[in-house]
Amino acid sequence: MQRSLPPLNALKAFEAAAQCQSFTQAAVRLCVTQSAVSRQVKLLEEQLGVALFDRSGGQLKLTAAGRRLLPVLRQSFDRIAWTVGGLGEQEALSCLKLNVPPTFASRWLVPRLGRLKALHPSLELSITTRFEDDLLGNNDLDGVIRFGAGEWSAVDAELLIQETHVAVCAPHLLAGRRGREIDLTRHTLLHVLRDDNRFHTWEHWLQAAGLEGVDTSGGLAFDVLELAIQAAINGVGVTIADRHMIARELMRGDLVQLLDVEVTGHQSYWLVTRSGHPESTNMALFRRWLRQEINDPPT
């Protein structure tokens, strides 16, 4: 069957412009002139009979048609790049082995794996959740996701997600109260441990909220954030959690946020790989998918 497709250069120009939100930056990425990118996008719009960009207001914004086309092109180009890169390589059929923090795995990564599998059905993953990944001493691992400040030697670390802390509880704890205020002295505070010591997230949040007289020495403590979140959902108490890890619960109403106070955490999630090692096709594909999920979350 003969396919009727727009020119490849026009599709590439559109994808680059959409990602950069700029014809000029897209031209730099594609090593062509700005006018060439603009011309290719215009050609594509004429052939499709729809506008892909809204050029008003001095900014380049995707139209509804552009937003519909972009993810299809990304998936298609990714699959082509992955297949071509793996031709003649056994690694294209190998399993990508990763170690991931347990809460990040269960709350952020696993719910998205269906999209990764639909995009790259031949890519196999093996995921562990050990607290100590021993990347440099374990040749079986291709890479790890770490939670921390990014200060690790002999590795390459790419920032994925910066923590944003909010105070949350089950909705019934706020029943009958105005707004989202609560007397924290009357409720159990839920903490997260690190090396048998509590993270100071409660102290940082209380300071940002301007609240005094709350004793943070009591309450319950857990060695993983997942347990503190589950305790909060079940009405045990109030916890400080990273907004990215509880997005579903906030959207469904299983958890509600106290006040309008958010605190940037001192820790982040990082994709970590060995320094000086050529990146495998599978790891490059996984890295690009992570960036796409973080930068363009599904609506």
Side-chain angles (χ1 to χ4, degrees):
M1 181 181 67
Q2 186 175 2
R3 295 183 177 89
S4 177
L5 296 174
L8 178 60
N9 285 340
L11 295 173
K12 290 172 60 179
F14 164 73
E15 186 208 22
Q19 289 180 335
C20 298
Q21 296 185 330
S22 164
F23 287 150
T24 301
Q25 293 181 26
V28 173
R29 175 181 294 189
L30 297 174
C31 298
V32 297
T33 65
Q34 187 269 352
S35 61
V37 173
S38 179
R39 185 169 58 252
Q40 288 290 342
V41 171
K42 187 65 175 176
L43 174 67
L44 180 60
E45 290 177 319
E46 291 175 352
Q47 182 167 351
L48 297 178
V50 294
L52 299 174
F53 289 107
D54 178 359
R55 297 165 173 82
S56 62
Q59 287 186 316
L60 202 62
K61 296 181 180 180
L62 286 170
T63 63
R67 289 193 298 271
R68 183 179 176 185
L69 178 60
L70 179 59
V72 176
L73 284 183
R74 280 181 172 171
Q75 293 177 12
S76 300
F77 287 150
D78 280 348
R79 295 192 70 172
I80 292 171
W82 183 75
T83 301
V84 170
L87 290 176
E89 298 180 12
Q90 284 299 114
E91 71 163 21
L93 301 177
S94 67
C95 182
L96 187 65
K97 297 180 180 179
L98 305 166
N99 192 76
V100 182
T103 299
F104 184 92
S106 63
R107 297 199 150 266
W108 195 93
L109 182 60
V110 171
R112 291 168 166 79
L113 288 183
R115 290 196 291 273
L116 176 61
K117 196 65 178 176
L119 184 60
H120 304 291
S122 299
L123 177 62
E124 296 183 2
L125 292 177
S126 176
I127 298 174
T128 56
T129 57
R130 294 185 296 270
F131 282 97
E132 298 295 333
D133 56 65
D134 191 24
L135 176 64
L136 298 180
N138 186 349
N139 291 328
D140 288 338
L141 285 174
D142 297 297
V144 301
I145 292 176
R146 286 181 181 172
F147 177 70
E151 299 176 352
W152 303 291
S153 59
V155 296
D156 293 327
E158 177 183 349
L159 176 64
L160 297 177
I161 297 174
Q162 177 73 51
E163 273 202 316
T164 301
H165 292 148
V166 294
V168 293
C169 66
H172 73 264
L173 295 186
L174 293 178
R177 293 176 173 83
R178 292 183 178 181
R180 290 177 291 166
E181 295 185 5
I182 190 173
D183 183 359
L184 291 172
T185 64
R186 301 169 62 91
H187 292 275
T188 302
L189 302 188
L190 308 175
H191 305 265
V192 180
L193 296 169
R194 182 169 187 174
D195 299 328
D196 296 327
N197 296 313
R198 295 178 176 185
F199 280 107
H200 296 292
T201 48
W202 263 115
E203 289 84 351
H204 296 153
W205 186 89
L206 288 168
Q207 183 179 17
L211 298 179
E212 300 178 352
V214 180
D215 182 10
T216 60
S217 63
L220 303 178
F222 306 90
D223 65 347
V224 290
L225 175 59
E226 175 67 33
L227 296 178
I229 292 173
Q230 289 299 326
I233 292 173
N234 286 281
V236 176
V238 186
T239 194
I240 302 292
D242 177 15
R243 176 179 286 281
H244 302 94
M245 298 300 113
I246 55 171
R248 288 173 298 169
E249 285 74 17
L250 288 174
M251 183 175 60
R252 293 194 300 245
D254 296 333
L255 289 172
V256 291
Q257 180 181 339
L258 275 64
L259 307 178
D260 290 314
V261 177
E262 297 187 359
V263 179
T264 300
H266 297 288
Q267 310 284 337
S268 310
Y269 291 99
W270 304 75
L271 178 61
V272 180
T273 53
R274 300 178 186 87
S275 296
H277 286 247
E279 186 164 70
S280 70
T281 302
N282 287 342
M283 178 55 74
L285 179 150
F286 182 71
R287 183 189 298 274
R288 180 169 180 178
W289 175 79
L290 279 177
R291 291 171 180 167
Q292 181 175 326
E293 286 292 319
I294 293 168
N295 295 328
D296 302 303
T299 56

